Amino acid sequence: RSTLFPYTTLFRSGSVAERAEARSMSTAKNKNVINAFIQDVINQGRLERADDLVLADFVELDPLPGQSQGREGLKEVIAQLRGAFPDIHWVVDEMLAEGAKVCTRFAWSGTHRGMFLGIPATDKRVTVKGVVIDRLEGGKMADSRILMDTLGMMQQLGVLATPPASH
């Protein structure tokens, strides 16, 4: 032990590699939470699983029109989405995590069989791409920002005209 630097124990909480491994495990756990949310809550419709995966005071940073905040608001919007697209299925195309945030590039598809955003059922199948950035606290989703190709979805539903192809 060096008497010149008595604070060495402060810096012995792990090697750089051990701290990097801990961060990696944390980001892996965060990714697992998001994957569980997508599979269990969205794809399987097990809304009660949101209680295990989402904080009660969850914040949707870019809410859908009329979406309430909180975990219950999130469950309501997913129930509406599943009611409109009962065969909805999300696929993760890419997932990146750093610190408390997980960024997911996804595509979902489903058949429009019920009212959604004021649009009655069209029985048309859509595929919608998007990106969502979720922030987690204590192993649960704390807030989210989702951007989806709503214009493309509206065109696929026949609500908006598709521009003619350029030649």
Side-chain angles (χ1 to χ4, degrees), residues 5-152:
F5 195 65
Y7 304 105
T8 55
T9 56
L10 290 176
F11 300 100
R12 289 190 183 160
S13 60
S15 69
V16 172
E18 289 170 331
R19 289 191 304 271
E21 182 179 344
R23 276 193 308 275
S24 176
M25 287 174 50
S26 174
T27 56
K29 286 180 183 178
N30 288 346
K31 287 172 147 183
N32 288 340
V33 169
I34 301 305
N35 276 316
F37 182 82
I38 291 169
Q39 293 308 316
D40 298 349
V41 180
I42 298 174
N43 287 343
Q44 295 176 19
R46 295 172 48 207
L47 298 180
E48 73 282 357
R49 277 286 283 143
D51 297 340
D52 303 325
L53 303 168
V54 181
L55 291 176
D57 60 350
F58 172 85
V59 175
E60 179 60 62
L61 299 169
D62 291 316
L64 285 173
Q67 181 178 350
S68 300
Q69 291 294 339
R71 178 174 56 218
E72 294 306 311
L74 180 61
K75 287 163 67 172
E76 288 170 11
V77 81
I78 290 170
Q80 290 171 8
L81 190 62
R82 289 191 53 78
F85 300 90
D87 60 345
I88 192 168
H89 184 77
W90 281 48
V91 174
V92 173
D93 294 321
E94 186 174 14
M95 185 178 280
L96 306 168
E98 183 171 334
K101 292 188 177 182
V102 177
C103 179
T104 308
R105 186 173 59 85
F106 63 87
W108 65 265
S109 57
T111 308
H112 185 214
R113 301 206 187 273
M115 186 72 71
F116 184 66
L117 298 177
I119 303 164
T122 63
D123 287 322
K124 293 186 179 180
R125 186 146 181 88
V126 298
T127 298
V128 182
K129 294 180 179 183
V131 174
V132 60
I133 301 171
D134 295 295
R135 187 178 61 81
L136 290 89
E137 286 180 12
K140 291 189 177 188
M141 296 166 56
D143 62 53
S144 184
R145 171 163 281 140
I146 188 167
L147 302 171
M148 287 192 288
D149 181 12
T150 308
L151 174 62

Side-chain angles (χ1 to χ4, degrees), residues 151-162:
L151 174 62
M153 179 179 67
M154 296 299 179
Q155 290 172 333
Q156 292 174 64
L157 292 174
V159 177
L160 295 176
T162 304

